[in-house]
Amino acid sequence: MPLSPFWIWLIVALTFFVMELVLPTAFMEATFGLGALMVAFLSFLIPSFSLQIFLWIVFSIVVVFLLRRYQPKQVPPVLKEAAEAETITTIPAGETGRVLYEGTSWQARCGDPHLTIPEHRRVIVIDRQGTTLIVMPEDAIRP
């Protein structure tokens, strides 16, 4: 006994909803599921399966655009101005070392290419270039 289009679209919708619970896809499966759910109820009025698939695509795209406003904005992390850190390793003049900044080890380079910073010294983060922090010794900045 073949399933009616309503049941097919309902199974498709439930499958997408379960996938949304299992896979981290930022609500993409949920939008496809909502589109399939809408088509399931419209399948009684629209007998053409190709038209149902077209409506499913249109509804899914519309739901994506309607739900975009509820997704949290991705804001790139910004360094705090004049943030303090501590050197984990010595930072040789003109080379890189490691600092502990906000509980995480970062690659760091001294802002003065002629200055060596010993380990376990407090430094001030003055800039960031990619994943490398540019630091200066605290006593070189503060009187």
Side-chain angles (χ1 to χ4, degrees):
M1 179 165 97
L3 290 175
S4 71
F6 171 79
W7 290 108
I8 292 172
W9 285 110
L10 193 61
I11 290 169
V12 169
L14 291 175
T15 302
F16 277 120
F17 291 142
V18 169
M19 286 174 60
E20 181 64 46
L21 293 174
V22 176
L23 302 172
T25 59
F27 297 108
M28 285 309 296
E29 274 91 1
T31 60
F32 296 150
L34 285 172
L37 192 60
M38 287 187 259
V39 172
F41 290 106
L42 287 176
S43 67
F44 295 114
L45 303 172
I46 302 167
S48 169
F49 193 67
S50 58
L51 185 56
Q52 291 174 8
I53 291 175
F54 175 75
L55 285 175
W56 171 63
I57 293 169
V58 169
F59 288 153
S60 297
I61 291 171
V62 167
V63 170
V64 166
F65 284 108
L66 291 176
L67 292 180
R68 280 180 60 194
R69 72 173 70 179
Y70 297 108
Q71 285 186 327
K73 302 290 183 225
Q74 295 288 337
V75 179
V78 177
L79 289 175
K80 299 174 191 170
E81 277 192 43
E84 292 185 1
E86 183 178 340
T87 57
I88 299 172
T89 64
T90 299
I91 302 176
E95 296 181 30
T96 59
R98 304 292 296 177
V99 297
L100 186 64
Y101 174 70
E102 291 188 347
T104 306
S105 173
W106 287 71
Q107 183 173 320
R109 188 174 65 241
C110 183
D112 182 352
H114 306 291
L115 187 63
T116 297
I117 306 173
E119 63 182 322
H120 303 297
R121 290 280 302 271
R122 234 182 236 304
V123 292
I124 305 296
V125 179
I126 58 172
D127 196 12
R128 183 175 99 187
Q129 294 175 347
T131 59
T132 302
L133 299 179
I134 308 301
V135 298
M136 287 295 290
E138 187 177 46
D139 54 3
I141 293 178
R142 294 184 181 154

